[in-house]
Amino acid sequence: MNDTASEKQPEAAPIIEIVGMHKWFGDFHVLRDIHLTVKRQERIVICGPSGSGKSTLIRCINRLEEHQRGDIIVDGIELTNNIKNIEKIRAEVGMVFQHFNLFPHLTIMENLTLGPIWVRKVPKKEAEETAMHYLEKVQIAEQAEKYPGQLSGGQQQRVAIARSLCMKPKVMLFDEPTSALDPEMVKEVLDAMIELAEEGMTMLVVSHEMGFARSVAHRVLFMDFGRIVEENEPEAFFHHPQHERTQLFLSQILH
Amino acid sequence: MDERDVADMDEIKPPKSQTGIIGWIRQNLFNGTFNSILTVITLFFLWKTVPPLIRWFFIDSVWTTGSEACYTADGACWSVISNNIRFILFGLYPHDLQWRPLIAIALLVALLAYSRDRRRWRRSLFYIWATGLFVMGLLMKGGLFGLENVDTTRWSGLPLTLLLSIFGMVAAYPLGVLLALGRRSRMPAIKSLCVVYIEMIRGVPLISLLFMSSIMFPLFLPEGLTINKILRAQIAIILFTAAYIAEVVRGGLQAIPRGQYEAAESLGLNFPQKMRLIVLPQALKIVIPPTVGILVSAFKDTSLVVIIALYDLLKTTQSVLSNPKWMGFSSEAYIFIAFIYFICCFSMSNYSRKLERELGAGERH
Ligand SMILES: Nc1ncnc2c1ncn2[C@@H]1O[C@H](COP(=O)(O)OP(=O)(O)O)[C@@H](O)[C@H]1O
Ligand SMILES: [Mg+2]
């Protein structure tokens, strides 16, 4: 195990706690008996074949999808059907999508300041300073006045990361952040994520980037048919997978 | 490829026959036998029709004479306009007070021109319009500040047409957007209410709505209570136009990808914020062309109020033509009001194109 993973072992109450959670799409049982605890500053990578429910799982955490059984507790608040201020929780949970989902009618700067201004009620000037700070961090400050459509995929995804960070979230969810990118742009996005990891951000990342998982993850989960089949520390996970399905999956993605 | 190759390629120019006026004519008018024949036939028709029209319009026409001169003239009798311009434009409005609607219209045009620039769309513009509309209303109605009171039954001509259409559009647009949102609502009661409303209104012609508002609606009102006739027509126009706007806006809403909603939600925006800041700006922009189409036809449809005996621009013109003196000159009179309608509608679609261009600046999908 490498340094970054072992330097900080988080102590405080978990940021996310999922207990016996099930979800159905109509009759389709998409998530089955999910148990998952994410401690503060912990970084988890989720992998698994397409359709295994990875996206659905992390979308349940900020309630873009509703679960039907079991409990999901985020930052001490249980997600229930009659939850009043789901917006409050969502503000604490950053989300980065596979297809970036930037707002095409707003400039990069406006994309970044929208959340802080309207949700956090931060004054415009302060929001712009924060935005500039994060844009510099993802090395894209000179594009602030452009529109998303004028940027490359890799740049757009870095903007999307910066947009989430501007909300100062307590945890960041990533849903295959590099899988819609051309190969030469994957690295710039991963670099931004690695830097974020090194600063101690709590991260839940759906990704098949094994190099990334090795260098930043505390744990790797493997999902198949809606279940978490296996979880382990990265080195053990990649070198000594226990389950047959994990072995098969790893042999496919590692060639 | 080395540098010299690139330089060489830059210097190759297109052949002469492809450029210049000759090139353009060859490419666009005489490329192939069929197109050449079409071009010749078209030129022949233009030669046969345009010169006589110009003669009728300008050379043989009379402009400011009485009606007798018109009967002897070979060309157009524009005198029918110049002799009756005040009645055509202001109708039954008291003759001595017609400067008031004139100023009101000038004020309206000035406000529209001022609002063209999107950078002026601030809160202050709202107050400017509120003040402007109040002044216009005051000029039309009077009764304050020593202005003589003019009953609304005498409002007619161009001011009436503009009043019905501009208020119609301004009120129908937000109502239509609300209806579109309602139709997509998850609450069944709201949704079905909106669906029923939209489909019912779209199922009947505007004429029947106008009839209902002017004849049937008063029957349901308690004895003694009357609602102004113009207001009733206005409401019918608003309700009618809003239903069509709603369907167009719904189309725009459907074009917004789920990811936009999800990104907005994951930032913690609540429903009104999400709609106002993310979804509607994009959806409304997509549907600018069909929306303007609806507004333009709503503008023209205001002329249907003649059937409930409101004296709009079309009706005042018809009244002039029913005068035996001017009876034969309907072409000229109708060309004139067609021209007024054209100016208004053309400015609208022209402006919409400008707006579309500006809003699209920098975006690429
Ligand atoms: N909104 C939905 N309605 C119905 N089925 C869905 C929906 N979203 C996803 N699914 C199905 O749920 C399964 C898991 O999807 P997803 O979580 O996206 O998988 P993954 O991200 O692991 O590829 C897939 O079979 C998918 O077809
Ligand atoms: Mg997925």
Side-chain angles (χ1 to χ4, degrees):
Chain A
M1 193 151 184
N2 70 20
D3 294 343
T4 40
S6 52
E7 73 194 355
K8 294 177 193 162
Q9 279 306 329
E11 306 277 329
I15 181 81
I16 299 169
E17 203 167 358
I18 302 178
V19 185
M21 188 266 276
H22 292 255
K23 169 162 184 65
W24 287 263
F25 282 123
D27 285 341
F28 177 50
H29 200 169
V30 57
L31 292 176
R32 300 155 190 250
D33 196 28
I34 302 288
H35 290 263
L36 174 64
T37 304
V38 183
K39 288 177 249 164
R40 286 171 206 265
Q41 302 200 328
E42 194 175 22
R43 295 183 289 279
I44 296 179
V45 166
I46 304 173
C47 62
S50 173
S52 56
K54 308 179 296 292
S55 301
T56 310
L57 172 59
I58 66 166
R59 288 158 59 85
C60 281
I61 293 171
N62 63 357
R63 215 168 170 72
L64 289 179
E65 305 284 357
E66 293 176 8
H67 63 288
Q68 279 85 34
R69 258 176 64 188
D71 302 322
I72 301 179
I73 298 155
V74 178
D75 198 22
I77 300 172
E78 187 179 345
L79 307 187
T80 57
N81 281 330
N82 52 6
I83 187 160
K84 277 277 160 1
N85 39 9
I86 183 65
E87 287 87 19
K88 270 228 166 66
I89 295 173
R90 284 176 175 159
E92 306 298 339
V93 180
M95 177 122 186
V96 175
F97 300 86
Q98 185 174 5
H99 296 287
F100 333 134
N101 295 353
L102 296 178
F103 305 126
H105 62 302
L106 302 177
T107 63
I108 302 305
M109 181 53 86
E110 289 164 341
N111 265 273
L112 265 66
T113 53
L114 186 91
I117 289 174
W118 290 91
V119 179
R120 295 262 195 243
K121 314 290 181 204
V122 173
K124 182 160 182 251
K125 198 159 172 304
E126 193 185 323
E128 284 178 349
E129 280 162 14
T130 314
M132 218 49 209
H133 168 77
Y134 284 112
L135 280 179
E136 272 159 20
K137 198 159 217 159
V138 298
Q139 305 188 0
I140 209 158
E142 69 283 0
Q143 316 279 12
E145 294 313 316
K146 290 196 179 161
Y147 286 88
Q150 298 168 306
L151 268 53
S152 75
Q155 291 173 322
Q156 289 193 49
Q157 192 61 298
R158 284 184 281 150
V159 171
I161 293 173
R163 176 175 70 180
S164 288
L165 291 177
C166 284
M167 292 294 289
K168 307 256 168 75
K170 292 183 176 157
V171 52
M172 288 278 288
L173 312 175
F174 293 81
D175 190 1
E176 304 208 30
T178 57
S179 61
L181 296 176
D182 291 335
E184 76 270 18
M185 296 171 183
V186 170
K187 186 172 176 300
E188 64 192 49
V189 171
L190 289 180
D191 284 347
M193 290 169 63
I194 289 170
E195 196 185 331
L196 191 59
E198 280 164 356
E199 287 168 9
M201 175 59 78
T202 313
M203 294 163 77
L204 210 58
V205 185
V206 174
S207 174
H208 295 160
E209 294 291 337
M210 291 310 143
F212 172 79
R214 279 210 180 96
S215 65
V216 308
H218 296 108
R219 275 191 288 158
V220 180
L221 309 187
F222 174 71
M223 285 187 71
D224 201 11
F225 294 108
R227 286 182 200 282
I228 298 176
V229 175
E230 179 163 355
E231 66 170 277
N232 215 331
E233 293 173 348
E235 292 307 312
F237 181 88
F238 290 117
H239 293 137
H240 313 289
Q242 303 296 309
H243 288 259
E244 209 177 306
R245 287 212 297 263
T246 320
Q247 289 161 6
L248 181 66
F249 175 74
L250 287 178
S251 73
Q252 280 165 350
I253 63 165
L254 300 175
H255 307 295
Chain B
M1 200 187 300
D2 68 19
E3 253 170 61
R4 236 196 60 231
D5 281 342
V6 176
D8 279 352
M9 276 173 56
D10 277 347
E11 268 161 40
I12 299 176
K13 293 223 169 66
K16 262 279 176 298
S17 62
Q18 299 292 306
T19 59
I21 296 172
I22 309 255
W24 187 89
I25 289 179
R26 271 176 65 165
Q27 259 191 8
N28 293 288
L29 299 179
F30 294 100
N31 56 340
T33 331
F34 181 66
N35 283 350
S36 304
I37 293 173
L38 277 188
T39 303
V40 170
I41 293 176
T42 312
L43 286 175
F44 177 74
F45 271 104
L46 287 179
W47 178 61
K48 274 290 182 200
T49 53
V50 172
L53 251 174
I54 290 181
R55 211 170 320 125
W56 182 81
F57 244 89
F58 299 108
I59 300 169
D60 294 344
S61 57
V62 290
W63 292 80
T64 49
T65 55
S67 59
E68 305 77 27
C70 280
Y71 289 107
T72 54
D74 290 331
C77 167
W78 301 117
S79 312
V80 63
I81 316 280
S82 52
N83 275 279
N84 299 293
I85 187 73
R86 289 183 69 162
F87 189 79
I88 291 177
L89 290 183
F90 301 117
L92 311 172
Y93 207 89
H95 200 264
D96 297 340
L97 303 177
Q98 286 178 357
W99 59 271
R100 279 161 46 178
L102 186 65
I103 292 179
I105 290 176
L107 194 57
L108 179 70
V109 171
L111 275 178
L112 288 172
Y114 180 81
S115 318
R116 257 179 87 83
D117 191 340
R118 223 158 48 85
R119 278 166 301 184
R120 298 202 179 115
W121 292 7
R122 290 190 236 103
R123 185 162 290 265
S124 58
L125 187 64
F126 176 79
Y127 296 118
I128 293 176
W129 269 94
T131 316
L133 288 176
F134 174 76
V135 174
M136 281 182 242
L138 184 65
L139 282 167
M140 289 296 290
K141 184 83 179 81
L144 271 181
F145 305 122
L147 289 173
E148 199 178 317
N149 186 40
V150 177
D151 197 77
T152 55
T153 48
R154 308 195 64 169
W155 293 11
S156 37
L158 187 60
L160 181 63
T161 293
L162 291 176
L163 175 84
L164 288 174
S165 50
I166 293 197
F167 272 100
M169 293 181 220
V170 168
Y173 190 72
L175 182 59
V177 171
L178 285 181
L179 283 167
L181 290 176
R183 190 166 184 168
R184 285 168 60 88
S185 165
R186 277 199 225 122
M187 280 173 268
I190 292 181
K191 187 187 167 103
S192 36
L193 203 68
C194 291
V195 171
V196 167
Y197 173 85
I198 292 170
E199 295 308 330
M200 255 173 51
I201 298 275
R202 276 159 36 104
V204 297
L206 178 56
I207 292 199
S208 61
L209 273 184
L210 287 170
F211 266 129
M212 275 194 267
S213 73
S214 76
I215 297 163
M216 282 170 56
F217 184 57
L219 299 180
F220 298 112
L221 285 179
E223 194 96 24
L225 181 68
T226 56
I227 295 185
N228 184 303
K229 199 167 168 183
I230 294 177
L231 185 61
R232 275 183 274 145
Q234 181 78 81
I235 289 172
I237 289 171
I238 291 171
L239 295 183
F240 185 79
T241 309
Y244 283 84
I245 299 274
E247 281 303 272
V248 163
V249 170
R250 187 167 70 103
L253 290 173
Q254 277 168 350
I256 305 303
R258 268 233 54 73
Q260 291 291 306
Y261 291 83
E262 291 177 352
E265 283 162 17
S266 71
L267 282 176
L269 297 180
N270 58 28
F271 181 82
Q273 291 170 337
K274 179 176 68 177
M275 283 305 177
R276 189 159 80 78
L277 300 168
I278 306 300
V279 179
L280 282 177
Q282 297 185 60
L284 297 182
K285 194 195 108 189
I286 302 174
V287 297
I288 287 177
T291 308
V292 172
I294 288 171
L295 294 181
V296 165
S297 62
F299 182 83
K300 293 182 290 189
D301 284 350
T302 55
S303 55
L304 289 173
V305 296
V306 293
I307 60 135
I308 55 170
L310 284 181
Y311 265 71
D312 80 323
L313 188 59
L314 186 63
K315 183 71 181 169
T316 53
T317 311
Q318 284 174 340
S319 312
V320 168
L321 292 174
S322 62
N323 179 342
K325 251 169 65 178
W326 298 108
M327 228 159 206
F329 307 107
S330 51
S331 308
E332 290 86 342
Y334 285 135
I335 285 175
F336 176 68
I337 58 168
F339 181 69
I340 293 182
Y341 273 101
F342 175 77
I343 298 272
C344 296
C345 295
F346 182 73
S347 328
M348 277 158 74
S349 42
N350 203 27
Y351 182 63
S352 88
R353 258 174 286 140
K354 170 179 137 85
L355 198 59
E356 227 181 313
R357 233 181 4 254
E358 286 178 1
L359 291 177
E363 285 182 45
R364 189 185 66 184
H365 292 280

